[in-house]
Amino acid sequence: MKSYHNQRKIALIFRYVLLAILAVLWIFPIIWIILASFSYNNTGFVSTIWPDKFTWQNYIGIFTNSQYPFVNWVLNTLFVAVILSTFVTIAVAYVLSRLRFRFRKPFLQIALVLGMFPGFMSMIALYYILKALNMLNLGGLILVYVGGAGLGFYIAKGFFDTMPRAIDEAAEIDGATKWQVFIHIGLPLSKPMIVYTALTSFMAPWVDFIFSGIILSTSGNPKTYTVAYGLYNMVHSSKGMMAQFFTQFIAGCVVIAIPITILFIVMQKFYVNGITAGADKG
């Protein structure tokens, strides 16, 4: 009996040590980035963990830099990621769940197959299509992001499948149209799924600088950039600019991380409910 308790105690200690090591590995880069964002630097490289000189100038500069309009980048990304992508995903999921129309099942099967291929495979083809349409700009990028968001409907569709159809039928008997049922009944009842979809749709445009860089690099207008490509472009567009803008780049990374972190913490309950509800089979 004593040997069993000793084994459990050793196993518990090992788990806590492992968790402590993983916590340090995960938290240390975050702490370094936060401290580096307050560091006064003009060499393009932060060589110390604790700043030799603290300053707010990096945060002031990222918001007041007219050459690289950080606020425009954030607004562009929010518009693409949250508003359009979320609405399209929810609308597609609702239609495929509640309505019955011709070629519905073939569309579901095709969408499932297409979702298995990574988006990078179509990057070059999309570039030449947008180039032929003269849409190598923010409008073309929005078109691609929103169009691709419609393929992420499966979890949301699973959520709508669990909602009783009697609710829709009762509203239609009272004279409501399909659109009114969606706006006044479907959306209010799907708040957890809307939060989940907004968070998941938010991440792709927020961190993607490769595809947005290919599409937006020819526009030459910094105000049309997304936040990921804008920050990347800040330190790579001109030779010798990294020394000037590197700490501002880090400050921008901290700024965009704050709302994401707060959003996940506040919406965690709805996020979990959205995942579990969307995974249920109705």
Side-chain angles (χ1 to χ4, degrees):
M1 191 72 178
K2 186 176 180 181
S3 175
Y4 173 73
H5 284 297
N6 289 336
Q7 290 178 357
R8 286 195 60 187
K9 186 179 294 185
I10 293 172
L12 189 62
I13 292 173
F14 176 77
R15 292 172 186 171
Y16 279 116
V17 170
L18 180 61
L19 289 174
I21 294 173
L22 292 176
V24 171
L25 292 176
W26 290 334
I27 294 174
F28 176 76
I30 300 174
I31 295 175
W32 180 86
I33 289 176
I34 294 174
L35 291 175
S37 68
F38 289 102
S39 177
Y40 175 80
N41 177 268
N42 58 3
T43 63
F45 180 73
V46 179
S47 58
T48 59
I49 298 176
W50 190 265
D52 297 327
K53 181 180 179 181
F54 281 86
T55 180
W56 286 95
Q57 192 57 43
N58 299 323
Y59 288 93
I60 297 173
I62 194 67
F63 285 103
T64 59
N65 192 334
S66 59
Q67 183 180 357
Y68 298 102
F70 179 75
V71 176
N72 290 84
W73 301 342
V74 174
L75 294 178
N76 292 339
T77 308
L78 287 174
F79 180 71
V80 175
V82 178
I83 300 175
L84 291 178
S85 296
T86 301
F87 179 78
V88 169
T89 303
I90 293 295
V92 170
Y94 182 85
V95 168
L96 292 173
S97 173
R98 317 300 281 185
L99 304 183
R100 294 295 179 267
F101 51 89
R102 197 176 181 185
F103 300 119
R104 175 178 170 272
K105 288 186 177 180
F107 176 82
L108 289 171
Q109 295 170 351
I110 293 172
L112 179 62
V113 173
L114 290 177
M116 296 179 181
F117 295 94
F120 288 104
M121 292 181 63
S122 61
M123 187 178 300
I124 303 301
L126 288 172
Y127 171 80
Y128 282 105
I129 291 173
L130 294 176
K131 183 178 180 180
L133 297 174
N134 197 24
M135 293 188 66
L136 292 178
N137 48 38
L138 184 61
L141 186 67
I142 291 174
L143 184 65
V144 173
Y145 278 145
V146 173
L151 292 177
F153 63 84
Y154 265 94
I155 294 180
K157 178 185 176 297
F159 176 85
F160 285 118
D161 287 342
T162 63
M163 294 170 54
R165 294 186 179 276
I167 300 176
D168 298 4
E169 294 171 356
E172 291 174 2
I173 291 174
D174 291 336
T177 63
K178 300 290 185 182
W179 175 255
Q180 290 173 332
V181 173
F182 172 62
I183 293 295
H184 298 291
I185 297 177
L187 291 182
L189 292 177
S190 60
K191 289 181 180 178
M193 183 50 57
I194 292 175
V195 173
Y196 167 79
T197 304
L199 291 176
T200 53
S201 300
F202 184 79
M203 297 310 297
W206 199 257
V207 300
D208 176 34
F209 72 91
I210 298 177
F211 182 70
S212 59
I214 292 175
I215 302 301
L216 299 176
S217 59
T218 58
S219 68
N221 185 5
K223 291 185 178 180
T224 64
Y225 295 166
T226 58
V227 69
Y229 178 65
L231 289 174
Y232 173 83
N233 189 68
M234 176 187 289
V235 293
H236 288 86
S237 61
S238 303
K239 293 182 179 180
M241 289 294 101
M242 179 173 286
Q244 181 179 352
F245 294 121
F246 180 69
T247 48
Q248 287 188 23
F249 169 83
I250 297 177
C253 294
V254 174
V255 170
I256 64 176
I258 291 174
I260 298 176
T261 304
I262 295 175
L263 198 63
F264 267 95
I265 293 174
V266 173
M267 300 295 184
Q268 184 177 13
K269 177 181 178 181
F270 295 102
Y271 181 78
V272 174
N273 289 341
I275 295 176
T276 55
D280 291 339
K281 182 175 178 61

